Amino acid sequence: MKHIDLSKKVVEMIGVTKKFGDLTANDAIGLTVHQGEIHALLGENGAGKSTLMNVLYGIYTPTKGQIRINGSPVEISSPSVAISQGIGMVHQHFMLVKPFTVTENIILGKETAGCFGKINMNQAAKDVSKISEKYGLQVDPLAKVQDITVGMEQRVEILKALYRGAQTLILDEPTAVLTPQEIKDLTRIIKNLTAEGKSIILITHKLKEIKESADYCTIIRRGKHIGTVQVDQVDEQQLASMMVGRTVNFKVDKQNGAKGGPVLEISGLHVKDNRGLPALKGLDLCVRAGEIIGVAGVDGNGQSELIEAVTGLRPIESGSVSIQGKQINNLTPRQIHGRRVSTIPEDRQLRGMISEFSIAENMILENYYKPPFSKKGFSQTAPIKENAQTLIQRFDVRPDDPDYRAGALSGGNQQKMIIARQIANNPDLLIAAQPTRGLDVGAIEYVHKALMAQRNEGKAVLLISLELDEIINLSDTIAIIYEGRIIGLLQNGDADEKKIGLMMAGHVN
Ligand SMILES: Nc1ncnc2c1ncn2[C@@H]1O[C@H](COP(=O)(O)OP(=O)(O)OP(=O)(O)O)[C@@H](O)[C@H]1O
Ligand SMILES: [Mg+2]
């Protein structure tokens, strides 16, 4: 902890309470961050982490409590006040303007005008490169945001905050969408920043990351401050139990299952990506009843295109996809759903839910037109609500209110809502893409058990995940995807992280 200056309290939140109507999202929370420190914020889905940080960043006004910056009380009434106080924030869901370039996004709202009021883009691009070099934040200043990777998008968000003079940087689940390599890069960047005397508030569900990089960790549960610990004094298990209030099982029980016949059969599949280039180049894969096949691979090797082709969202150029022996090539998503295929999509807000709808409405997105939810064209309120109540209980979606607007749920609870709906569809094939992205360890345990239960009930499960631990923990067979093909199958048991890692890089022996 060599960079921390304990005499300098850059941020103090004292007794901060934030209510949304009757719901108390933050209940008298205290948080102190010193100069040069990495302070992790840990808590279950819906515990109130993003809310607390939105208060600090001036997006929400606290119901009660005080904030001090460098020892002086300040009223942070808007993000511009927060920025002027040296606070920067990278949100859980990124907020860049997609058709703008990297530089345009970074300087947006802070443009300096040259002659005749024209924005001096050259100077701006130079300034941006300077900061990016200083902290090792590699970006392409002239690329449009819509064309860059998620990892770069995030570096742009960080640069944007630094360009505005951030001394304290809030990162809300920065690693949830990153590949392992990008996570390593980010950890290095964070360390560079603290070495410069900046402070970081890091929200993450990954205990390993907290152990690796944070100095202190504040734990909140259901809006309340449970404690602040020095990270080198605790282990992962202790952090997990402080967070959920019980011991968490990191491993899933896997019994020997009885495999049945093939449910999903893919052969010679060719599919193009968004730019019209080949993404899948003759992919073969078979998933049988009662087994979990885990697809492991470096992001961008065709995983997304595979899911989209099987679920009817992307045209198939050639090859064949069959469910229970019948070809489903280029059927519509609804027709494929009718063949008893359920999907937990990788981008929950884009493909999994309608933010403006209630939880109850979201729970019937694929079935709203069928009985008992609709009769003679009229939607039936009572069964819709009852269905939601049952699923909310079963999957512990919080808050347990069917009328709650889905967009107001915390990220993790949005995910639980989607998983609940897909499992309730009772499919023959369940496709689970990044099913635990953004979930807390307690919820991950639950989802893993639920996927395992699906397998034990004889369903075919296709799991696509960037979390190697998850793949190893759950899969009966691991399929390695590389450059649009499955280049190897490993029976779980013969597979260790090293072997899988090598194959993911294209090495087949
Ligand atoms: N704008 C809002 N209106 C109403 N309720 C909200 C709003 N924002 C958050 N909440 C509620 O406040 C509680 C805390 O949510 P918050 O997003 O802070 O959780 P979180 O700890 O960040 O969870 P996650 O790990 O899932 O992101 C949740 O119950 C959530 O539904
Ligand atoms: Mg959050």
Side-chain angles (χ1 to χ4, degrees), residues 8 13 27 52 58 286 314 370 383 430 463 469 474 506:
K8 289 198 182 133
M13 299 184 85
D27 191 355
L52 188 71
C286 171
R314 185 171 289 275
K370 297 182 193 160
L430 178 65
L463 168 71
D469 288 347
L474 293 176

Side-chain angles (χ1 to χ4, degrees), residues 215-236:
D215 306 300
Y216 288 95
C217 178
T218 288
I219 295 113
I220 53 182
R221 192 192 312 151
R222 298 190 182 227
K224 291 203 167 62
H225 184 188
I226 299 298
T228 297
V229 293
Q230 204 172 310
V231 171
D232 56 11
Q233 311 276 313
V234 289
D235 62 21
E236 289 183 33

Side-chain angles (χ1 to χ4, degrees), residues 18 20-21 23-26 43-54 60 92-93 172-173 203 205 220 348 398-399 404-405 407-414 438-440:
K18 175 66 193 171
F20 296 107
L23 187 139
T24 306
N26 292 158
E44 286 178 283
N45 296 125
K49 304 175 298 290
S50 296
T51 302
L52 188 71
M53 291 301 105
N54 283 329
Y60 296 145
Q92 188 166 2
H93 303 109
D172 192 350
E173 293 194 38
I203 301 182
H205 289 295
I220 53 182
R348 60 175 162 257
R398 299 178 203 175
Y404 204 79
R405 191 172 64 88
L409 289 173
S410 77
N413 279 293
Q414 293 175 353
L439 292 193
D440 68 58

Side-chain angles (χ1 to χ4, degrees), residues 79 83 129 144 152-153 216 234 252 266 280 297 388 396 466 498:
I83 292 165
S129 308
K144 288 200 172 146
M152 192 180 289
E153 219 175 311
Y216 288 95
V234 289
V252 211
I266 303 176
L280 298 182
D396 190 24
L466 296 173
K498 199 166 158 215

